[in-house]
Amino acid sequence: MDHIQTPTRTGQARKGAECSKSRNPRGDSMSYQERKLGTQNTRESNVDNAEYMERTLPAGKLEQCPPIVDQQHYITQVSSINEAIATTAIQPPTFADEMLDTLKRHSVMTEEEQIAIVLWIIASYQINAFRIFPKLSLISPEKRCGKTTTMEVINALANNPLLVSNVSPAVLYRVTAKSQPTLLIDEVDMLIQQGETAIIGLINSSHNQSAATVLRCVGDTHETKPFSTWIPIVLASIGALPHTIMDRSVVINLRRKAAHEAVQSPSVRIVDDCETIRDSCRQWSLATSAQLERHVVEPPYIGNDRAQDNWTPLFTVAAALGGTWPNRCEKAYDSLTSASEPELPTQLLEAIRALFAEANTDQLSSTEIVSMLLQDADGPWNAMPTGGSLTPIKMAALLKPYGISPQCRRMGSKTIRGYKLAQFTDAFERYLPPPPR
């Protein structure tokens, strides 16, 4: 087995990517204004507050930040699978580089995107070794960006492929009755536009192996029968797909070929030409399936737990391939994923923590907090998802799921509603990364 290069990412770099980003490039303390809690797209990306309250209040608690996978843990996982495969008689594979060369000949995309596609294809041969398996979504801004050509190439390299341009929901879950194909759906955006919304739920259901089952009534007696949707799926679309699908995908953003870029059109015999590559990949997958199942490699956490789940099969395969593949996978992961945008209540917690630190006090009135937040012209507080600006009442509603409510205190002859810093201690610890030093 080739020597696996030590992953290049430093522990400190990954430890700084938490549930929400609160550290500036210098790594020192920042004022509230410097934090820019509201980004340019915050207003569009935030979940509607009413939906958020409905979702969280019945449960009585909010989702906590998952633990950060540090660099040492990641290196240990890579070493573990490397040692497991080294004990077998498996020779270092060459088919992965052959897949990459084939993709490069016929497509225009970044090397990181090509690496992601190759690792996804190889992982799809061993889909049953994983708890979660993502879709591969090829998204182009408009037509003539090479998505159909890329689908042809993937079809030639994939395990038991089935390339279609249209499919009904009934066919989608019945296609697995006799086999477990790699389903490639071109023009899937047209299906959704034509009203086939049921297909969204079926595609989403294939993300988790334990939940990849749908029930349908069959026959004249309408007997219920379970159907599996646990198959690798490649989707090609002009424009973004529904967010639930995108969130469950490794997304490749295609672009039109420039005048100076040259690619080869696939041969009509490309499937036959790639038979040796597919056979080599299939044999290697059969030989390593037990090791991959026992030695799963989790990507370093970047503040997006869904991305971490989606990329686990790719990182596991890269570690098993050895050589430069782990580092290439890391670079692709860094390039194609990003930390998830904190939801509005989390942004409010972070903003309030910054305000208390800046004011160097242990209590602030509701009016003071709202007034200081509204000074941030780029933040979400001047245009809330529910309409209007942030008010003390709206702020109290956002904080209520954390068990934080305004308290009354006397100031002279007036009674003022506000908050003490001690009320936020538990929430800060559970839902925010450590403050910058």
Side-chain angles (χ1 to χ4, degrees), residues 198-324:
I199 205 167
I200 299 175
L202 290 171
I203 291 173
N204 289 340
S205 71
S206 68
H207 190 245
N208 188 315
Q209 183 171 182
S210 63
T213 303
V214 296
L215 288 175
R216 292 293 183 269
C217 293
V218 296
D220 295 335
T221 60
H222 302 289
E223 179 183 358
T224 58
K225 181 179 178 180
F227 292 90
S228 172
T229 57
W230 183 241
I231 56 175
I233 299 178
V234 186
L235 305 170
S237 169
I238 297 177
L241 292 167
H243 69 91
T244 54
I245 294 179
M246 298 288 279
D247 194 43
R248 291 168 170 81
S249 299
V250 172
V251 178
I252 306 298
N253 290 298
L254 302 176
R255 60 189 186 275
R256 186 174 293 176
K257 177 173 67 71
H260 67 278
E261 294 174 316
V263 295
Q264 299 177 17
S265 297
S267 164
V268 70
R269 294 181 53 81
I270 186 172
V271 173
D272 294 333
D273 293 341
C274 294
E275 182 177 1
T276 301
I277 298 177
R278 292 195 307 274
D279 287 344
S280 297
C281 184
R282 191 175 294 112
Q283 292 171 12
W284 181 83
S285 298
L286 289 172
T288 60
S289 60
Q291 286 80 9
L292 265 66
E293 188 171 350
R294 288 196 298 265
H295 302 278
V296 172
V297 178
E298 293 180 336
Y301 185 68
I302 60 167
N304 187 335
D305 53 348
R306 182 57 63 83
Q308 188 182 29
D309 284 342
N310 290 340
W311 279 76
T312 292
L314 280 66
F315 267 77
T316 303
V317 164
L321 290 172
T324 62

Side-chain angles (χ1 to χ4, degrees), residues 32-352:
Y32 167 69
Q33 292 295 333
E34 285 177 311
R35 288 175 183 271
K36 292 187 179 295
L37 294 175
T39 59
Q40 293 294 328
N41 64 350
T42 297
R43 294 165 191 166
E44 289 80 16
S45 62
N46 278 327
V47 177
D48 182 89
N49 185 45
E51 294 180 358
Y52 179 84
M53 298 296 286
E54 181 181 358
R55 174 163 52 87
T56 57
L57 281 174
K61 61 181 180 179
L62 303 177
E63 183 180 0
Q64 297 183 26
C65 296
I68 297 172
V69 178
D70 62 20
Q71 180 70 359
Q72 186 57 49
H73 179 62
Y74 167 63
I75 293 175
T76 300
Q77 290 181 320
V78 173
S79 300
S80 177
I81 192 171
N82 183 31
E83 292 171 2
I85 292 180
T87 61
T88 69
I90 302 169
Q91 296 298 314
T94 61
F95 63 83
D97 289 302
E98 293 170 355
M99 283 186 178
L100 185 59
D101 290 341
T102 302
L103 196 59
K104 287 180 177 180
R105 283 198 301 273
H106 303 296
S107 65
V108 175
M109 59 184 74
T110 66
E111 183 175 358
E112 289 77 16
E113 290 169 330
Q114 292 165 338
I115 293 294
I117 291 176
V118 168
L119 291 174
W120 185 93
I121 292 172
I122 298 172
S124 71
Y125 280 73
Q126 305 203 49
I127 183 174
N128 295 327
F130 303 107
R131 182 181 68 89
I132 299 289
F133 200 82
K135 264 58 66 184
L136 180 64
S137 292
L138 310 178
I139 309 297
S140 64
E142 53 183 272
K143 60 185 179 181
R144 294 194 294 118
C145 289
K147 62 181 179 59
T148 301
T149 299
T150 304
M151 291 284 271
E152 284 186 79
V153 178
I154 296 174
N155 181 67
L157 299 171
N159 184 40
N160 191 20
L162 179 60
L163 175 59
V164 300
S165 296
N166 194 295
V167 63
S168 70
V171 170
L172 182 60
Y173 60 77
R174 283 187 170 91
V175 77
T176 62
K178 295 182 179 180
S179 63
Q180 192 180 32
T182 299
L183 183 62
L184 301 94
I185 310 176
D186 200 1
E187 310 290 352
V188 71
D189 52 308
M190 297 300 296
L191 281 176
I192 296 172
Q193 291 172 16
Q194 292 167 5
E196 293 284 6
T197 53
I199 205 167
I200 299 175
L202 290 171
I203 291 173
N204 289 340
S205 71
S206 68
H207 190 245
N208 188 315
Q209 183 171 182
S210 63
T213 303
V214 296
L215 288 175
R216 292 293 183 269
C217 293
V218 296
D220 295 335
T221 60
H222 302 289
E223 179 183 358
T224 58
K225 181 179 178 180
F227 292 90
S228 172
T229 57
W230 183 241
I231 56 175
I233 299 178
V234 186
L235 305 170
S237 169
I238 297 177
L241 292 167
H243 69 91
T244 54
I245 294 179
M246 298 288 279
D247 194 43
R248 291 168 170 81
S249 299
V250 172
V251 178
I252 306 298
N253 290 298
L254 302 176
R255 60 189 186 275
R256 186 174 293 176
K257 177 173 67 71
H260 67 278
E261 294 174 316
V263 295
Q264 299 177 17
S265 297
S267 164
V268 70
R269 294 181 53 81
I270 186 172
V271 173
D272 294 333
D273 293 341
C274 294
E275 182 177 1
T276 301
I277 298 177
R278 292 195 307 274
D279 287 344
S280 297
C281 184
R282 191 175 294 112
Q283 292 171 12
W284 181 83
S285 298
L286 289 172
T288 60
S289 60
Q291 286 80 9
L292 265 66
E293 188 171 350
R294 288 196 298 265
H295 302 278
V296 172
V297 178
E298 293 180 336
Y301 185 68
I302 60 167
N304 187 335
D305 53 348
R306 182 57 63 83
Q308 188 182 29
D309 284 342
N310 290 340
W311 279 76
T312 292
L314 280 66
F315 267 77
T316 303
V317 164
L321 290 172
T324 62
W325 281 98
N327 283 340
R328 293 156 103 177
C329 182
E330 281 193 75
K331 291 177 181 177
Y333 181 60
D334 289 340
S335 174
L336 302 181
T337 61
S338 60
S340 58
E341 181 73 19
E343 292 185 343
L344 195 63
T346 309
Q347 293 184 55
L348 180 60
L349 280 180
E350 189 172 22
I352 290 174

